[in-house]
Amino acid sequence: MACFFLRSTHCPDIILHPGKEIVLGRGPLTTIKDSRVSRQQMTVKLDEVDKVVVRQEGHNHSVVAGVALGAGERRTILPGDCLYLVEGQYQFRLVDDGSNVERSDEEELSSNIDSTETAEQKTVKPSNHWNQGLLSSMSDPALLVTSNTSIVTIKDKYPKAKHHYLVLPKKQVPNLESMTKEDMDLLVMMDREADRLASSHPASQFLIGYHAVPSMAQVHLHVISTDFDSPCLKHKKHWNSFTTPYFIPSSQVITQMEEQGKVLKQDKELSKKWMNTQLKCHKCEYMPKNFPDLKKHILKH
């Protein structure tokens, strides 16, 4: 029997046990506090033959696999299907033990790109070179958050804060300067997904943007909480890559594309200068003597 669980950005994975009914709603299991979500918004049950059935309980309708459910209605869901506790918000995705998810994600990456695409827009293919790591992460079920025909959202494998996500296009886009006016809708879609992720953590503040000279192939939008509380944040370059102009806001990239029809290539010497900037707290004027001192200081904010 396969192992099924529900994955969301709001809480740890919720494992479904055969014959046991799980109640999704407002409360400690999901961490959701929105009063529009009933304490018993819906139930999810895995039966003995690997069938997962969702039943709507709350007054405000939920959306299950693209279909709105009223109170008392049921729907069977499959791995990859998404539940929204209220329309468009509080997403949970059904995942199995990994084999089916990985296969379906790879199929999406190869089949969801229009057959008339150019050679430069071929579907991303993983590589063994270290800077190609994001390409394999895009289909890693342990990191996957959401996916549609155009973009993939994953958790950063080495998060630099409590909440750190990456939003990536499914088509191959090596960097921002390779994008054209035709990619405007893609940039906006990525930005909206970033806003959705940030709004799912109302207790945190977020930065949304791109690194000026990213080390990893495949353009990716960072969505990172400003607590910077993570053991993976280890040195000055990590810090300065998010807290100096080396980090380019998504809104600035979109504005530049609107006005100039392209995103200008960043000056590598200037970018290097930003990376070597003296350490400074991002929320006050404190100048730490070293990086451990900085990490200790930011816990006060």
Side-chain angles (χ1 to χ4, degrees), residues 78-205:
L78 302 172
D81 285 344
C82 292
L83 324 173
Y84 293 87
L85 296 194
V86 293
E87 188 168 2
Q89 289 187 282
Y90 309 119
Q91 181 193 70
F92 288 80
R93 183 173 185 267
L94 181 64
V95 180
D96 69 6
D97 59 3
S99 57
N100 290 341
V101 174
E102 186 171 9
R103 183 172 66 252
S104 63
D105 287 336
E106 290 173 350
E107 288 169 356
E108 282 186 21
L109 286 173
S110 62
S111 65
N112 285 333
I113 306 303
D114 193 291
S115 60
T116 61
E117 67 186 2
T118 64
E120 290 78 13
Q121 294 176 325
K122 287 182 179 179
T123 302
V124 173
K125 292 182 174 63
S127 164
N128 291 327
H129 194 277
W130 67 269
N131 74 346
Q132 305 289 318
L134 282 180
L135 306 186
S136 59
S137 293
M138 289 170 67
S139 57
D140 184 344
L143 300 175
L144 186 65
V145 178
T146 59
S147 175
N148 63 28
T149 57
S150 301
I151 61 175
V152 179
T153 300
I154 62 173
K155 296 177 181 179
D156 194 295
K157 193 172 184 178
Y158 305 102
K160 303 304 186 291
K162 287 181 179 178
H163 307 293
H164 190 180
Y165 304 97
L166 304 177
V167 184
L168 307 96
K170 280 191 172 179
K171 74 174 186 178
Q172 186 171 341
V173 185
N175 46 51
L176 286 173
E177 54 265 30
S178 68
M179 302 182 84
T180 68
K181 193 79 171 182
E182 294 179 355
D183 294 309
M184 173 60 77
D185 288 345
L186 180 59
L187 286 172
V188 171
M189 182 186 298
M190 293 169 67
D191 186 71
R192 288 176 177 170
E193 169 64 4
D195 282 338
R196 185 194 68 79
L197 289 165
S199 65
S200 71
H201 300 285
S204 299
Q205 295 180 318

